[in-house]
C-alpha cells in the first residue's frame, strides 16, 4: 500500500516525503512542477536514501489519475498540490479556482473510484479571515478575502460533504500557519519564483544583497513593537504534523480540522533580528505603509493538535532562521 503525495516536489511536500520515507512508508508523488523543479526529487532520494514512485502530471488530468490509482495500491492521499500566491489569485481567480478546486475534485473522484478513503489536506490559517480574535481556534467561523483563501474554505466544505456522505472516509484538514525554515541538510527548502510576497523569502534576498532593504509593512499595529505578528512554524515540524495526521486518519473516520502552528507570535522586527543573529548578515529595512488586507496578529491555539494528533512543534524561531539561512544562503 502506498501514500500518494500530490505536490510532493513543493516546499512542504518535499519535507513531508523525506519524513514519510524515513518512517518506511511507500510513496508515490504526483507533481506538474508548476511551482517546483525535478531536481528536488534527487535531493529527496539523497537525504532519505530511499526511492519512490513519481508521475509528472497535472492533478486535473482524470485519465492520468486513473492510471496512477490503477498502477499503485493507494491507501491515502496527502494533498499539497495547489497554487498559493494570494496576489496572483486576485489577478487570475479562474486559474486558482480551476487548479485548486477542480484539481481536488479530480483527485477525490479517482479516490472514490478506487476505494481510497483517507485524505490529509493542506488548508491554511487564511480561512480564519479578518474578523476572528487571536488565538485562532478550529471552531471559529471561516471566511476569506481573496480567491486563494476561498479555495481553501471551499475545499474544506467539499471534504466535510464527502465525509458526511461516506462514513468510511477520513479527512484531516490541516490549517498551516506560517511555514519557514528548511531541512537541516541544506538540500531542500523554499524557492519562490519572482519577487517574494512572503516575509522570510524577502529577508533572504535582502541578506544576500539581491535587494538593498526590506519594506516593513506598517509599524503602527497594536502589537509588541507595532509590526505584524505571525505564528512561524518550522517546515520540518509541519511535515511531522502530517505523519501524525496520517496515523490518526488510519484509526479514525470522519473529518477533523487541526491547526498546525507553534502558538507563539513573532513580529516582523523580531524575525529580522533573529535572522541577522542566525546568519551573521545585516537585513536593512525601512518602514513602509501597511499592506492592504493584512491583519495585526495571527497565531494558533495549538491545544487540539496536541490532544487529537499528539503532535506539537519542537523548533523555535532561532532554529527556523538557522536552517533557513543554511539552505538559502548556503552558509
Ligand atoms: P509549493 O508551491 O511549493 O508546492 C505545491 C506543489 O504543487 C508544487 O510542487 C506545484 O508544482 C504542485 N502543483 C500545483 N498545481 C498542481 C497541479 N495542478 N497538478 C500537479 N501538481 C501541482 O507550495 P507549498 O508551500 O509547499 O504549499 C503546499 C500546500 O500548502 C498548498 O496547497 C498551499 O496552498 C498550502 N499552504 C501553504 C502555506 C505556505 O505558506 N507555504 C500556508 C498555508 C497553506
Ligand atoms: C501570507 C498570505 C496568507 C497565507 C500565509 C501563510 C498574503 C496577503 N497572505 O500571509 O494567505 O496563509 O502567508 O504563508 O500574502 N511583511 C513585511 N514585508 C514584506 C513581507 C511581509 O513587512 O516584504 C509582513 C506582513 O505585513 C506580515 C508578516 O510580514 O505582517 C508576514 O507576512 P507574510 O509572510 O506575507 O505572511 P502572512 O501575511 O501571514
Amino acid at each position: 500500500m502506498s501514500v500518494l503525495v500530490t505536490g510532493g516536489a513543493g516546499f512542504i511536500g518535499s519535507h513531508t516525503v523525506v519524513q514519510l520515507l524515513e518512517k518506511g512508508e511507500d510513496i508515490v508523488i504526483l507533481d506538474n512542477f508548476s511551482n517546483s523543479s525535478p531536481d528536488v526529487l534527487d535531493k529527496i532520494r539523497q537525504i532519505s536514501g530511499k526511492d519512490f514512485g513519481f508521475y509528472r502530471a497535472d492533478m486535473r488530468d482524470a485519465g492520468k489519475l486513473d492510471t496512477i490509482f490503477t498502477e499503485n495500491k493507494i491507501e491515502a492521499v496527502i494533498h499539497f498540490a495547489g497554487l498559493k500566491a494570494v496576489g496572483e489569485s486576485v489577478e487570475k481567480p479562474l486559474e486558482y479556482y480551476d487548479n485548486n478546486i477542480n484539481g481536488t475534485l479530480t483527485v477525490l473522484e479517482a479516490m472514490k473510484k478506487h476505494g481510497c478513503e483517507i485524505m490529509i489536506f493542506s488548508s491554511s490559517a487564511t480561512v480564519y479571515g479578518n474578523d476572528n480574535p487571536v488565538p485562532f481556534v478550529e471552531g471559529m467561523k471561516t471566511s476569506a478575502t481573496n480567491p486563494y483563501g476561498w479555495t481553501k474554505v471551499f475545499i474544506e466544505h467539499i471534504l466535510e460533504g464527502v465525509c458526511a456522505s461516506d462514513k468510511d472516509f477520513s479527512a484531516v484538514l490541516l490549517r498551516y500557519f506560517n511555514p519557514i525554515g528548511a531541512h537541516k541538510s541544506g538540500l531542500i527548502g523554499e524557492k519562490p519564483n519572482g519577487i517574494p510576497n512572503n516575509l522570510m523569502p524577502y529577508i533572504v534576498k535582502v541578506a544576500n544583497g539581491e535587494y538593498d532593504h526590506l519594506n516593513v509593512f506598517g509599524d503602527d499595529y497594536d502589537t509588541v513593537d507595532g509590526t505584524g505578528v505571525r505564528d512561524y512554524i518550522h517546515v520540518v515540524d509541519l511535515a511531522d504534523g502530517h505523519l501524525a495526521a496520517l496515523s490518526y486518519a488510519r484509526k479514525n473516520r470522519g473529518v477533523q480540522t487541526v491547526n498546525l502552528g507553534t502558538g507563539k507570535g513573532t513580529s516582523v522586527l523580531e524575525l529580522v533580528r533573529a535572522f541577522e543573529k542566525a546568519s551573521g548578515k545585516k537585513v536593512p529595512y525601512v518602514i513602509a505603509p501597511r499592506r492592504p488586507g493584512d491583519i495585526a496578529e495571527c497565531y494558533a491555539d495549538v491545544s487540539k493538535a496536541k490532544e487529537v494528533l499528539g503532535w506539537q512543534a519542537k523548533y523555535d524561531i532561532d532554529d527556523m532562521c538557522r536552517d533557513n539561512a543554511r539552505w538559502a544562503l548556503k552558509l
Side-chain angles (χ1 to χ4, degrees), residues 69-193:
F69 277 84
T70 304
E71 291 181 352
N72 303 274
K73 189 112 194 67
I74 305 292
E75 174 220 1
V77 177
I78 306 188
H79 183 36
F80 293 103
L83 300 174
K84 62 165 185 176
V86 172
E88 188 183 59
S89 81
V90 175
E91 285 155 33
K92 302 174 181 170
L94 297 181
E95 205 177 299
Y96 270 67
Y97 287 123
D98 180 37
N99 192 78
N100 293 5
I101 297 185
N102 284 334
T104 302
L105 293 174
T106 310
V107 173
L108 285 167
E109 287 292 352
M111 290 174 70
K112 189 172 170 191
K113 181 171 171 203
H114 293 270
C116 173
E117 297 192 297
I118 295 178
M119 178 177 270
I120 313 298
F121 172 61
S122 300
S123 190
S124 167
T126 197
V127 303
Y128 289 108
N130 280 352
D131 298 325
N132 286 308
V134 282
F136 295 148
V137 185
E138 288 84 348
M140 287 172 167
K141 201 169 171 312
T142 58
S143 68
T145 54
N146 55 72
Y148 165 72
W150 282 118
T151 70
K152 297 298 178 192
V153 173
F154 293 151
I155 295 168
E156 288 199 355
H157 285 298
I158 290 168
L159 287 167
E160 278 161 18
V162 169
C163 287
S165 73
D166 176 354
K167 298 297 174 210
D168 291 326
F169 203 95
S170 181
V172 185
L173 317 180
L174 297 176
R175 292 181 179 161
Y176 311 156
F177 281 68
N178 291 54
I180 59 170
H183 192 265
K184 63 179 184 317
S185 63
L187 291 173
I188 52 173
E190 188 174 20
K191 230 190 235 173
N193 292 331

Side-chain angles (χ1 to χ4, degrees), residues 276-314:
E276 288 184 332
K277 191 172 100 191
S279 65
K281 307 268 185 195
K282 289 306 282 175
V283 180
Y285 65 86
V286 299
I287 304 298
R290 289 182 177 194
R291 182 172 66 179
D294 271 356
I295 52 176
E297 295 190 290
C298 169
Y299 53 89
D301 181 312
V302 291
S303 40
K304 190 170 177 191
K306 198 171 173 189
E307 225 168 86
V308 173
L309 304 182
W311 169 92
Q312 61 185 340
K314 295 188 202 73

Side-chain angles (χ1 to χ4, degrees), residues 164-305:
S165 73
D166 176 354
K167 298 297 174 210
D168 291 326
F169 203 95
S170 181
V172 185
L173 317 180
L174 297 176
R175 292 181 179 161
Y176 311 156
F177 281 68
N178 291 54
I180 59 170
H183 192 265
K184 63 179 184 317
S185 63
L187 291 173
I188 52 173
E190 188 174 20
K191 230 190 235 173
N193 292 331
I195 302 170
N197 292 308
N198 296 116
L199 180 59
M200 180 55 100
Y202 206 100
I203 287 179
V204 163
K205 285 186 184 280
V206 175
N208 72 13
E210 260 179 78
Y211 303 139
D212 52 44
H213 68 269
L214 167 75
N215 293 302
V216 173
F217 298 142
D219 68 347
D220 56 354
Y221 287 106
D222 185 14
T223 62
V224 58
D225 56 17
T227 67
V229 164
R230 297 292 181 273
D231 185 342
Y232 298 97
I233 173 167
H234 198 300
V235 64
V236 170
D237 272 333
L238 195 64
D240 208 31
H242 292 74
L243 273 67
L246 181 60
S247 153
Y248 173 88
R250 282 175 170 152
K251 294 186 220 107
N252 297 275
R253 297 287 163 261
V255 64
Q256 270 295 354
T257 305
V258 184
N259 288 338
L260 294 184
T262 63
K264 291 192 194 73
T266 301
S267 76
V268 175
L269 294 182
E270 286 169 342
L271 189 67
V272 166
R273 279 193 291 273
F275 191 86
E276 288 184 332
K277 191 172 100 191
S279 65
K281 307 268 185 195
K282 289 306 282 175
V283 180
Y285 65 86
V286 299
I287 304 298
R290 289 182 177 194
R291 182 172 66 179
D294 271 356
I295 52 176
E297 295 190 290
C298 169
Y299 53 89
D301 181 312
V302 291
S303 40
K304 190 170 177 191

Side-chain angles (χ1 to χ4, degrees), residues 12-29:
I12 306 168
S14 57
H15 289 81
T16 305
V17 169
V18 164
Q19 271 163 259
L20 289 163
L21 289 168
E22 286 173 348
K23 267 269 156 91
E25 299 279 355
D26 278 324
I27 300 299
V28 175
I29 294 179

